Each structure stands twice: as C-alpha cells, then as structure tokens.
Amino acid sequence: MISSEQIFNTLVLPYLNHAVRTYESGYASVTDIDAAMRFGCGYPKGPLTTVDELGVAAVRDLLAARYADTGDNLHRPAELLEKMATDGRTFADEAAAAGQAPAPEFKQDIARVGVVGTGTMASGIVQVFAQAGYDVVFVGRSQEKLDGVYGYITKNLDRAIAKGRGTEDEKANLLGRLTGSTEREALGDVDIVVEAIAEDLEVKLELFGDLDRIAKPGAILATTTSSLPVTKLGEATGRPESVIGMHFFNPAPVMKLVEVITTDATAEDVAETTRALTANVGKIAVSAGDRSGFIVNLLLFPYLNDAIKLHETGVEMTVIDAAVKETAGFPMGPFELLDVVGNDVSLAIQKELHGEFGEPGFAPAATLEAKVAAGELGRKTGKGFHDYS
Ligand code: CAA
C-alpha cells in the first residue's frame, strides 16, 4: 500500500522542481509563479514558498533520491536548487531582491467590454466584467447560446442571493449591463474584446481577422486561449500591438488569477492597461511570455498527467485525490480537477507541452488518450475519471 508521503513525493516534488526551473529560466518571477498557483488553482501556497518551507536543501535531496530511482530528467534537481542550497539562499530572498512591481495604470479608457463566446469560460468572463460595473456586449452563434450565458449568470447570482450576499436589485442591475448579440458587428464600439471561443487555431485566426475589421481603432483585442500562440493571433490582424492574452481560470467568477500574455509586438501601454483592468475587476494579474502553458498550465498539467500515470500502476484514484489534498492542501485532487477542466482540454494542453518542451515525461498518459477517445470528458459529459451520472 502506497503512503500519502510517497504520493506527495511522486506527484508534488516534480511540480516543485518544475517551478524552480521555470524561475531559473527567467520566464517568470518568484512572486508571479507563486501567485499564479495560489490564485489560478486555489493552492494554499505557491510552489517556491513550499520549497522554502520544506527547505531548499531538503527538496534537492528528495529529488535527487527520486532521480536515482527513475532517471527521469524531470526529477533531476534544478541546478538552481543546488546553487541556492550551497549559498544558503531562499526564494523569499530572491523575491525580496527583485522588489515589488509598481501598480499598473490605465493608459486608455475602458468602459465597454466585448466578449466573444458562450461556453463556460465566456459566461464566467461576462459575469466578471458585469459584476465589476462594466457594460458588456457578448456575441454568440445563436439566441439559444446567448440565453445559456444569461442562464449561467442568473444561476450564480441566485446562489449568491440565497447565501445572503446580493439582492434582486443588484442582480437586475448586473443583468441590465449585458447586451447579447448574434452579430459580431455589435463589437464596433467596445474598448476591449475578450475572445473565449473554441480552442482551435483556424477558428480563432478567422475571428481575429474579423475583429480587426470590426473593432474601433485602439481597441484591445484579447484572447483567453490556454494553449495557442497569441503571436499568431496578432499576426492575423493589422494591429498586433493591440493583441494580448488574458488567460482566465475555471471557474472564472471564483478563480482570482489572470495571466497577462504579451507577445514581442504587444505595446507596453496595452499590457499595462490590461493589468490595470484585471486589478479593477478584482483579479490578480501575473505577467508571462507567449510560450506553451504560460505559468499555471506548465506547472499544473504535467502533475495531473503524472497522477494518471501513477493510477495506471494500480493506485486507486480516490487514494491519490485524498493524499494530495491531505499532504499539499490542494483544494481538489488531480482526478477531481481533471473532470472539471475536461479531459479533451487536458489532453490538448498536455500535447502542446510535450511538443514545445520535448520532455519524454510530458507524453500524455495512455488513459487520458483513452478517456478522450471514449468520450468520457469529465463533468460535462457526466463521466470522466469519476462518474457523475
Ligand atoms: N461558478 C461560479 N461560482 C462558483 C462555481 C462556478 N462554477 N463553482 C463554485 N463557485 C463558488 C461557490 O458559489 C462558492 O461561493 P461562496 O464562497 O461565495 O459561497 C465558492 O465558489 C466556493 O464553492 P464551494 O464551497 O461550492 O466549493 P469549494 O470550496 O470546493 O470551491 C472551487 C470550489 C473554488 C472550484 C475550488 O474547489 C477550487 O479552487 N478548485 C481548483 C480549481 C482550479 O484549479 N482551477 C484551474 C483549472 S486550470 C484552468 O482553468 C486553466 C486552463 O487553461 C484549463
């Protein structure tokens, strides 16, 4: 019988190592890496703070022991761990040395927001902006899909009212700020468009070309893609300087994080305005470059994939879910979260990561492929790793 500690060492230690390597590579700051995992996934602490608490040298030793067992490059202790252990430095020291970034300011007015899409992410994003007082125009392919967005938001607001946190008047005001349309032309006078449609490059490229035609000059064109290159979407427009990533997390009304993704072409003023807007809707912005997985998915999905591979060795899913929640304090076990995210989404992200980084350890678990092939996608289909029927 495997112990909770062994499960932690199998799943959580490589995640910590990976977070160290992400910092070591200069891709993101200590503060942003930790904030990303706390506010994007609801973890009680960021991975680098966890390394500090366990002790840099202790984490290095645990990883070295694991690497000796598996020979997997992902378990080889990051060089920075070695260096920091020798120098007696902590990640808190690194964060303090980097200092605090100044609060972002609006460089252009944002009053009206457009959202394209009617799925779970789009619905949540519409709610987030309307809740913060913005007028929101959202565009979907049919009246039925638009009604679905109203339904999603109404359900969430009714739940809040039932818990005594909101009134019918507030709900009516919020819903009054929404305008649904089946015509993209309705986006002609918004100050920013946030795209949250299907995760398909061709579909998004067509949309960005059209948004370039429709949106007023200077309007920011944002995408909430989790796996496609923002740079390519910018290139589909005549204004790549106005194109940026605004990656929200599921469920968007609850998760506090937005990853703000800039490309080489994104104007600094556009990036700062997007960060200011993120703060204005009550979310935390972290900055990341246009690379597969950004921060959160890069750290989260290999861990979820490892959990599936551990299950394939015969360990019960419920045992893994419980052990991770107990030892790391994560709000959901890996199989519970996979079912929320959707196995199709998880597989697509894992394939992107495998392609971009070429780590053999990132190859999608066979069971993940099988679940998707069988149409067992998670909560949305009633069955995924767990059964919801
Ligand atoms: N929409 C709106 N509100 C929701 C909601 C939803 N779908 N689900 C839960 N809530 C609200 C509840 O109403 C409740 O609100 P109050 O506290 O104000 O009453 C609050 O969230 C907490 O919900 P519950 O008490 O029912 O449940 P919980 O304590 O288990 O929390 C959770 C639920 C916030 C989702 C929590 O389990 C969590 O943080 N899970 C981790 C989710 C995560 O990791 N998301 C990232 C996925 S990766 C991703 O999104 C990126 C990608 O590109 C795929």
Side-chain angles (χ1 to χ4, degrees), residues 40-41 156 159 163 165 226 247 249-251 254 297 332 337:
C41 301
N156 281 341
R159 199 166 45 191
K163 286 183 180 171
R165 278 179 290 98
S226 54
H247 184 213
F249 290 79
N250 189 1
V254 185
N297 288 353
M332 288 179 169
L337 184 58

Side-chain angles (χ1 to χ4, degrees), residues 8 13 46 63 80 82 87 99 130 133 155 161 170 268 272 294 302 311 316 325 348-350 372 378 388:
F8 179 92
L13 271 181
L63 278 162
L80 184 64
E82 200 65 63
D87 298 349
K155 200 169 125 200
I161 292 170
E170 283 164 4
E268 183 41 46
E272 189 165 349
F294 311 135
H311 170 55
E316 292 278 346
K325 287 193 279 190
I349 292 172
Q350 195 59 34
V372 175
Y388 303 89

Side-chain angles (χ1 to χ4, degrees), residues 223-236:
T223 171
T224 194
T225 184
S226 54
S227 59
L228 299 170
V230 183
T231 304
K232 284 222 164 69
L233 302 179
E235 286 165 2

Side-chain angles (χ1 to χ4, degrees), residues 96-356:
Q100 233 186 339
E105 290 175 12
F106 280 97
K107 300 293 182 180
Q108 65 192 78
D109 285 341
I110 305 285
R112 282 171 74 74
V113 175
V115 175
V116 188
T118 50
T120 309
M121 290 311 293
S123 302
I125 293 167
V126 170
Q127 182 181 332
V128 165
F129 283 111
Q131 221 150 19
Y134 290 94
D135 288 327
V136 185
V137 180
F138 64 100
V139 173
R141 283 173 294 173
S142 67
Q143 187 58 46
E144 200 186 343
K145 289 188 184 285
L146 299 179
D147 291 345
V149 177
Y150 281 108
Y152 171 96
I153 296 174
T154 304
K155 200 169 125 200
N156 281 341
L157 298 179
D158 284 343
R159 199 166 45 191
I161 292 170
K163 286 183 180 171
R165 278 179 290 98
T167 64
E168 287 293 339
D169 271 359
E170 283 164 4
K171 175 177 137 190
N173 284 338
L174 191 156
L175 292 174
R177 287 194 279 275
L178 306 183
T179 310
S181 175
T182 52
E183 302 294 330
R184 287 180 184 167
E185 267 62 24
L187 299 167
D189 67 345
V190 302
D191 303 302
I192 180 169
V193 181
V194 181
E195 166 277 314
I197 62 170
E199 200 69 347
D200 177 317
L201 186 59
E202 290 310 313
V203 174
K204 286 195 201 280
L205 288 173
E206 186 277 328
L207 174 66
F208 271 76
D210 212 23
L211 290 177
D212 189 27
R213 176 182 67 78
I214 294 165
K216 68 186 183 187
I220 297 174
L221 305 181
T223 171
T224 194
T225 184
S226 54
S227 59
L228 299 170
V230 183
T231 304
K232 284 222 164 69
L233 302 179
E235 286 165 2
T237 73
R239 49 172 121 178
E241 68 284 358
S242 299
V243 175
I244 196 159
M246 240 187 140
H247 184 213
F248 286 81
F249 290 79
N250 189 1
V254 185
M255 306 317 287
K256 285 241 171 268
L257 185 73
V258 175
E259 289 177 317
V260 174
I261 313 302
T262 50
T263 73
D264 289 346
T266 310
E268 183 41 46
D269 280 1
V270 168
E272 189 165 349
T273 299
T274 305
R275 287 197 295 269
L277 177 64
T278 301
N280 230 25
V281 300
K283 305 264 183 214
I284 311 282
V286 296
S287 302
D290 188 20
R291 191 178 79 175
S292 247
F294 311 135
I295 302 172
V296 171
N297 288 353
L298 175 65
L299 300 183
L300 177 66
F301 284 86
Y303 139 76
L304 295 176
N305 199 45
D306 280 352
I308 304 171
K309 289 179 181 172
L310 180 61
H311 170 55
E312 285 168 355
T313 67
V315 185
E316 292 278 346
M317 291 184 288
T318 46
V319 169
I320 299 175
D321 277 346
V324 169
K325 287 193 279 190
E326 177 205 322
T327 56
F330 295 175
M332 288 179 169
F335 296 97
E336 293 164 335
L337 184 58
L338 281 158
D339 284 348
V340 165
V341 169
N343 288 327
D344 50 342
V345 175
S346 297
L347 179 61
I349 292 172
Q350 195 59 34
K351 280 183 173 166
E352 283 289 330
L353 294 176
H354 188 219
E356 169 118 18

